[in-house]
Amino acid sequence: LPDDGQQRYGQHELHQAQRCFTAVQDRAGQLLAEVGLARCDWREGRFQASLERVLPLRDEGLRILKHDERGILLNTIAGCYSELGQSQQAFAYMYQALRETNPAKSHGFDVVLYWNLAHELIQLGDYHQALSYLEEGLARCSQLNNARLFSVLTINRVICLTILSRPAEALPDVRRLLALPTD
């Protein structure tokens, strides 16, 4: 399916899931389906609508959802703030999401959060701190065998090192990036 077809299919599935969770009175499932719908809004560029959908769920979600689920809720809020250009708010929510995430069970979600945190710090001009999050993400990424995550973390590391007037340190990263398959 084309992206917009997948998006509509995903929304349809999430609405169906929401009805099922309502029928069995699974509030956590309802909340997560709503977070998924907010992510659909976000992917369609409706960041304010996404934030308006998910922000009212924050307090209840923090009470009801489990650790990684809370991380997903918080990261969705963070993504909205990031796209709205509110990096300080985004960083705060991403940091909290990372604290909620269990690396052993997250299947790489924690690495995505390290990348997101670094991105917001780059937006805020704190390249030293961004570099530390990128290095943590890269260390964790080495256990995942995920070329896409590796490449985005490494690209951001090259950016930070270059801005910090340390381009010679970035050259091995550039070589590793060039050696990656183009797909």
Side-chain angles (χ1 to χ4, degrees):
L1 294 172
D3 277 346
D4 58 335
Q6 288 176 342
Q7 186 75 7
R8 282 191 294 278
Y9 178 74
Q11 289 170 332
H12 174 73
E13 292 295 311
L14 287 165
H15 282 294
Q16 282 187 315
Q18 219 172 23
R19 286 190 291 277
C20 291
F21 290 130
T22 300
V24 297
Q25 298 178 348
D26 181 345
R27 186 61 181 147
Q30 289 173 311
L31 290 171
L32 288 171
E34 190 66 25
V35 169
L37 288 166
R39 293 282 301 169
C40 290
D41 286 341
W42 184 85
R43 288 197 64 198
E44 291 178 351
R46 296 192 316 264
F47 309 120
Q48 189 63 44
S50 179
L51 185 61
E52 289 169 5
R53 173 172 259 178
V54 76
L55 195 56
L57 307 176
R58 181 190 61 199
D59 292 341
E60 183 183 12
L62 291 176
R63 281 192 317 275
I64 293 174
L65 299 174
K66 296 175 185 163
H67 287 286
D68 287 346
E69 296 167 342
R70 286 193 295 254
I72 292 167
L73 167 67
L74 294 166
N75 191 53
T76 301
I77 295 169
C80 294
Y81 279 125
S82 178
E83 291 295 340
L84 292 170
Q86 298 178 31
S87 289
Q88 289 179 333
Q89 284 282 72
F91 181 84
Y93 277 100
M94 284 175 199
Y95 184 79
Q96 188 178 3
L98 181 62
R99 292 185 57 180
E100 293 291 344
T101 302
N102 179 346
K105 296 180 181 180
S106 74
H107 305 288
F109 180 55
D110 61 321
V111 178
V112 171
L113 290 169
Y114 283 123
W115 171 40
N116 289 345
L117 284 163
H119 172 77
E120 293 310 320
L121 287 165
I122 290 168
Q123 297 301 308
L124 293 167
D126 190 345
Y127 304 104
H128 291 285
Q129 189 63 40
L131 192 56
S132 71
Y133 280 114
L134 291 166
E135 289 171 356
E136 286 187 56
L138 282 164
R140 175 75 174 96
C141 190
S142 67
Q143 303 165 16
L144 298 175
N145 192 28
N146 185 319
R148 177 156 165 49
L149 279 176
F150 172 78
S151 67
V152 295
L153 288 162
T154 305
I155 289 167
N156 280 288
R157 186 172 188 276
V158 168
I159 291 167
C160 286
L161 289 170
T162 303
I163 290 172
L164 292 170
S165 299
R166 296 164 49 189
E169 291 177 55
L171 287 176
D173 289 336
V174 171
R175 288 185 197 99
R176 282 188 283 274
L177 287 166
L178 291 171
L180 289 173
T182 58
D183 62 346

